[in-house]
Amino acid sequence: MSPSQHLPQHASPASRDLSQLPVIDLSAAGRGPEARADLHARLHGAAHDVGFFQLVGHGVTAAETDALMRATRAFFALPEAERHAIDNVNSPHFRGYTRVGDERTRGSRDWRDQLDIGAERAAHIPAPGEPAYWWLEGPNQWPAALPELRTAALGWIDRLSAVAHRLLHELLAAIGAPPDFYDDVFGDRAHLHLKLVRYPGSAGDGAEQGVGAHKDYGFLTLLHQDRIGGLQVQREDGLFHDVPPLPGAFVVNLGELLEVATNGYLVATNHRVVSPPGATERFSVPFFFNPRLDARVAPLPFPHAADAPGVTTDPANPLFAEYGRNELKGKLRAHPLVAARHHPDLVERAAA
């Protein structure tokens, strides 16, 4: 089959089924040249046209996923006092538990609670002259009554880092770029981030914002969602479409850094979560595959660069050359209580 037959097919919005995301089987990369070429064609189209897809064939087993979800549900079943003991307002590194309604997206509260976890590292308090984003590197907070959570969460970070690394290589190869082009911006100091999230049902005031419409900052997000649903992706028609849960699949979306790196050829797409009805709980675990905080993401050399439309501009969301500045900007906005307690100087500087 010739290379031209593996270019993505660009159907018109009216001819696509916008209720379904593309399904990508990562295991095809190891099944010979023909299967890998087909994988690349599908991956190219999904990343260029949609910015979202369902990933199967990733190698993560149901037993591994079940172990993580048991630990996640056990955490949210702890008494409030035990969850509040590791409240993220205790952490200048934005790690720990966020109570329902305390996180913000575009200024509006998100009706969910969550535990933010990163790579387990010593605190990096910025020295004079160092960028403020080094505050984002530091230790996690763990519930004393649930030691198995630490093992499950850090193991999941390692497991999904390997999947995301392999996926990024195949994605870059799919658009004709050097697969290892961005290896150096990750290395052993990648800013990996995991959230354990519970949506407790609809807010008492009737608001449906589980989490508001947004794009992710980094390279790739791999999401495990339960069977309840609620994730919605904005498609070519401008509307938000439900993403039905697919057993065993990760929902993958591209972050803003890949859009910037390809001058808009690959797209970061708005998405949101609508709260489940009534008192129904929804659990999800997004994993964010991000580079080093001090990484400067160079433009990607690839043969389709001439077809790139340019990066989406949003005056309310300026993008910076260093990844850490984008991450810190987002954290200060999303967690105003942490920002006010630990970083009032940075809040004042951002508002100036």
Side-chain angles (χ1 to χ4, degrees):
M1 191 175 291
S2 68
S4 63
Q5 290 176 278
H6 294 297
L7 292 176
Q9 300 300 308
H10 301 288
S12 67
S15 67
R16 295 189 194 135
D17 179 5
L18 301 185
S19 67
Q20 299 293 327
L21 293 179
V23 177
I24 303 296
D25 183 357
L26 187 57
S27 68
R31 294 205 297 266
E34 193 78 13
R36 190 168 186 238
D38 183 64
L39 164 67
H40 286 175
R42 294 175 182 275
L43 190 52
H44 188 159
H48 176 58
D49 294 335
V50 188
F52 262 86
F53 51 90
Q54 301 260 26
L55 186 71
V56 298
H58 42 68
V60 179
T61 66
E64 291 174 297
T65 304
D66 289 346
L68 177 75
M69 295 312 295
R70 281 196 301 272
T72 297
R73 290 175 181 271
F75 171 73
F76 288 107
L78 290 174
E80 277 192 1
E82 295 185 32
R83 284 179 277 131
H84 294 172
I86 58 169
D87 198 305
N88 71 345
V89 297
N90 301 326
S91 169
H93 317 294
F94 297 87
R95 306 289 179 86
Y97 176 67
T98 302
R99 307 182 195 204
V100 174
D102 277 359
E103 188 174 15
R104 301 288 190 273
T105 300
R106 294 187 177 269
S108 298
R109 66 178 185 172
D110 295 327
W111 200 249
R112 63 178 183 175
D113 56 348
Q114 66 189 35
L115 182 64
D116 280 278
I117 302 164
E120 192 70 84
R121 293 179 184 142
H124 186 158
I125 299 173
E130 281 195 311
Y133 56 66
W134 288 116
W135 278 112
L136 299 176
E137 193 165 277
N140 295 298
Q141 297 189 82
W142 302 104
L146 200 62
E148 62 268 31
L149 179 64
R150 186 182 192 276
T151 301
L154 295 181
W156 193 256
I157 288 175
D158 288 343
R159 190 74 171 90
L160 264 64
S161 292
V163 174
H165 180 76
R166 184 158 49 105
L167 175 60
L168 180 60
H169 274 214
E170 296 300 336
L171 174 57
L172 296 186
I175 63 171
D180 60 353
F181 187 78
Y182 288 121
D183 283 4
D184 287 348
V185 303
F186 286 89
D188 61 356
R189 303 298 292 183
H191 190 69
L192 307 171
H193 183 201
L194 180 68
K195 288 177 182 276
L196 310 181
V197 184
R198 175 181 62 173
Y199 297 88
S202 299
D205 60 6
E208 294 185 343
Q209 177 171 307
V211 61
H214 66 286
K215 300 177 182 180
D216 294 342
Y217 313 127
F219 269 68
L220 294 169
T221 302
L222 280 67
L223 169 74
H224 169 72
Q225 60 171 341
D226 67 12
R227 298 179 180 181
I228 300 301
L231 175 64
Q232 296 182 335
V233 173
Q234 190 173 35
R235 298 296 301 271
E236 301 93 319
D237 59 2
L239 302 177
F240 282 86
H241 293 262
D242 291 328
V243 178
L246 179 64
F250 291 113
V251 181
V252 176
N253 65 280
L254 279 58
E256 290 174 325
L257 283 184
L258 273 175
E259 180 172 320
V260 170
T262 60
N263 196 30
Y265 187 79
L266 301 182
V267 294
T269 304
N270 273 320
H271 53 288
R272 68 188 184 188
V273 174
V274 176
S275 293
T280 302
E281 288 186 318
R282 174 183 185 264
F283 295 90
S284 69
V285 181
F287 167 75
F288 303 92
F289 189 58
N290 301 325
R292 300 188 324 265
L293 288 169
D294 60 349
R296 288 177 173 265
V297 179
L300 185 68
F302 68 110
H304 304 283
D307 301 323
V311 176
T312 305
T313 58
D314 181 355
N317 182 36
L319 297 175
F320 301 107
E322 287 172 294
Y323 169 68
R325 294 187 65 192
N326 294 305
E327 181 75 15
L328 180 61
K329 171 195 66 180
K331 286 289 191 291
L332 293 172
R333 291 178 175 181
H335 297 280
L337 298 180
V338 179
R341 179 171 180 177
H342 295 284
H343 307 294
D345 56 327
L346 300 180
V347 176
E348 291 177 9
R349 200 182 311 167

